[in-house]
Amino acid sequence: MPFLPPPLDSVVTLNTCSLGLYEYYRDLQRGTPVFRNEDGVVYLARHEDCLRLLSDPAFSRTAPGSDLPFSAGEQAPGVLESMIGRWMVFMDPPDHGRVRKAFAAPFRSAAVKSLESLVRRQVRDLLACWPADGRLEVVDDFAFALPVRVIALVLGVPLADIPRIHAWALGLTTALDSGTPEALGEGEGVARELAEYFRGLIARREQLPDDCLINRVAATAGANLSAEEFLCGCMFLLWAGHETTKNWLASGLLLLAQHPRQLARLQSQPELLDGALEEMLRVESPLQKLSRWSTVDTEFAGYPVPAGTLVTALIGAAHRDPAVFTDPDCFDIARRNNRHMAFGAGIHHCLGVWLARLEARIAFGELLPRIRHLEVLDYRWRDLSAFRSLESLEMKVELKC
């Protein structure tokens, strides 16, 4: 059995020091790219192994003997666990394909293109409210504000309800990530409130815009979904539809401030923007780990993994694999062949990837040409292990007139 590294979560949650996190990943790459922790979970740090785990149908989202992504226990699942079990991202075929198809239409590439004017209008509205002195809290005032407005408008959620959504989203993220009894207890309350909120929206959907996702799914795919699948699917899209993009925008702006030469190059060569956005995802992946259950006896790099084992891909480590990425610790906006897995891989590849890319492209495309001065005043990472998320990011971003 390979050497057991220090407990993963005790290291990864020290996100106040990103260098410590990535030094830890580097040590895994060199010494124990496959290891089992004391709870029996197998972790993978190599790009090749992580990609295989996420793409191979021999690995399942649901636990053995359960239709949920967790081990079957003696107690009946709570509201939060039941809700998560009906999220498409935690389903296996054939249910996964059926539910994903029901919600997919607004997120296909062609459909997303029609949202460009909507997204651009939201970005310009936010920039019009930029503080005169350039000082702002980037996470709440820009990185969260943009994608949550967009996904709310897509779903049909009133913008006036965004303050409540913000609190619910933070509660869900904490509960899903930490798994502590306290966080899960709070998550139960969040799940109940969010379910009640969406039941109300669905019940009065005739008052929502005709072309919103809630009405479109109800009209075209409702017969293929149970009432709970419809409800939980809407809840999932509201949360997932802004969480990744929020973290992408905030950490991306932080990276540019920390690398002024890269910022200057990007401002002088805007054609590099798409590649720069992908490099932001690689260097500070919003999602740091993803798990699957092995359904057959298998192995990774000669390390045996019996059927019924929970296996976790360390996405953040895979993005630093020198076998795939030249100078992996370097933030290079002109990097080519950027094979990151920030949006997952295989059949569970992120449904909203085209919308997220559109939002990021327009946000940075509108903001970067106007930046005269960019300065980090203070920032703090959230104490999470699965998500790479800034708790706060205070910056001075002076815009040109």
Side-chain angles (χ1 to χ4, degrees), residues 221-275:
N224 296 320
L225 299 173
S226 70
E228 286 300 300
E229 287 171 342
F230 185 18
L231 173 71
C232 293
C234 291
M235 295 160 68
F236 168 68
L237 290 174
L238 180 65
W239 174 75
H242 77 271
E243 181 66 25
T244 294
T245 310
K246 176 196 74 174
N247 298 333
W248 186 3
L249 297 177
S251 63
L253 201 55
L254 176 61
L255 279 169
L256 291 174
Q258 293 172 330
H259 298 82
R261 291 183 180 179
Q262 296 285 293
L263 170 61
R265 184 181 182 188
L266 187 54
Q267 288 180 310
S268 64
Q269 296 178 264
E271 67 274 12
L272 295 177
L273 179 59
D274 285 347

Side-chain angles (χ1 to χ4, degrees), residues 280-302:
M280 293 171 189
L281 289 170
R282 184 193 70 83
V283 173
E284 294 287 10
S285 179
L287 191 61
Q288 289 286 306
K289 63 182 183 180
L290 280 170
S291 297
R292 300 285 189 270
W293 293 89
S294 58
T295 61
V296 296
D297 293 342
T298 187
E299 64 176 41
F300 286 94

Side-chain angles (χ1 to χ4, degrees), residues 5-8 11-12 19-28 35:
L8 179 71
V11 177
V12 173
L19 183 60
L21 172 65
Y22 296 125
E23 282 182 343
Y24 178 74
Y25 285 159
R26 218 167 15 249
D27 288 343
L28 292 181
F35 68 93

